[in-house]
Amino acid sequence: MNFPVGNETRIDKWLWAVRLFKTRTLAADACRSGQVIIAEHRVKPSRDVRAGDVITARAGGVQRTVKVLGLPSSRIGAKLVTEFMEDLTPAAEYEKAREAAALPQFTWVRGSGRPTKKNRRLWEKFGPENS
């Protein structure tokens, strides 16, 4: 899959090419659900992106802010990502994601009976509504 030679490309292709999203479908879905913002506007997957644009995207539980430096001709290796985007994400965002991953995750398997008092208290203490 090649990108146009010009100075613009679709936002979903660019997000996938610079490895912010694992698949182009995930990138397009993030655009459709309003998780990708350029210039304080939610964008559609077909929106063109140009060098110099600042993109805010929710990817992998982190609100990433990146600046477009270039347009790759195809999906690039992880070592080359810095040539095409500058990461402007504050360190606090990564720290929040690290802390959320470190919290215990409590789930209850359907059909395994009722939770005990201990299970219920842990769920209330660390459950999803308390994060």
Side-chain angles (χ1 to χ4, degrees), residues 76-90:
I76 57 174
K79 292 181 179 179
L80 300 175
V81 168
T82 56
E83 295 177 19
F84 296 98
M85 77 171 196
E86 178 184 351
D87 194 0
L88 305 174
T89 308

Side-chain angles (χ1 to χ4, degrees), residues 10-12 28 31-32 36 41-48:
R10 289 173 55 113
I11 183 75
D12 61 339
C31 291
R32 281 189 211 98
V36 179
H41 296 287
R42 294 178 178 171
V43 296
K44 294 181 180 180
S46 61
R47 164 105 162 36
D48 286 332

Side-chain angles (χ1 to χ4, degrees), residues 35-99:
Q35 296 176 358
V36 179
I37 298 170
I38 298 178
E40 299 180 11
H41 296 287
R42 294 178 178 171
V43 296
K44 294 181 180 180
S46 61
R47 164 105 162 36
D48 286 332
V49 65
R50 297 169 200 82
D53 285 346
V54 176
I55 300 171
T56 302
R58 184 142 200 86
V62 178
Q63 188 77 19
R64 302 275 310 264
T65 304
V66 297
K67 182 176 182 181
V68 179
L69 299 178
L71 306 173
S73 60
S74 63
R75 186 163 167 100
I76 57 174
K79 292 181 179 179
L80 300 175
V81 168
T82 56
E83 295 177 19
F84 296 98
M85 77 171 196
E86 178 184 351
D87 194 0
L88 305 174
T89 308
E93 279 293 322
Y94 292 118
E95 187 60 34
K96 274 197 302 188
R98 245 182 260 113
E99 289 173 2

